[in-house]
Amino acid sequence: MASMRSLKNDWLLDCYTDAVQLQLDPKFIRLLLNEIHRRLDDPVFRRTWFVLSGK
């Protein structure tokens, strides 16, 4: 399986949004969310995530 780290930021966020909307397997959603949390050290990514998540 390809690493989540190889996903571009926008693809990761799109995948997460789609996975939640489609109510995909919670384990898959958790994998995406774990990768999102790993990337939150990047200020540009963090800003995008907070806009998307409404936080």
Side-chain angles (χ1 to χ4, degrees), residues 5 7 11 13-14 18 22 28 32 37 41 46 51 54:
R5 292 176 187 220
L7 283 174
W11 291 3
L13 296 173
D14 287 345
D18 291 346
L22 295 170
F28 178 66
L32 293 168
H37 286 160
D41 288 338
R46 183 174 48 244
V51 168

Side-chain angles (χ1 to χ4, degrees), residues 9-55:
N9 287 341
D10 55 337
W11 291 3
L12 174 62
L13 296 173
D14 287 345
C15 285
Y16 174 78
T17 301
D18 291 346
V20 170
Q21 289 175 347
L22 295 170
Q23 299 178 350
L24 297 182
D25 187 325
K27 290 179 184 177
F28 178 66
I29 293 172
R30 174 57 53 198
L31 285 173
L32 293 168
L33 198 53
N34 286 345
E35 181 60 19
I36 288 169
H37 286 160
R38 190 189 70 74
R39 295 184 190 195
L40 287 177
D41 288 338
D42 174 8
V44 173
F45 182 84
R46 183 174 48 244
R47 204 169 26 252
T48 304
W49 168 246
F50 286 140
V51 168
L52 178 69
S53 66
K55 294 183 180 183

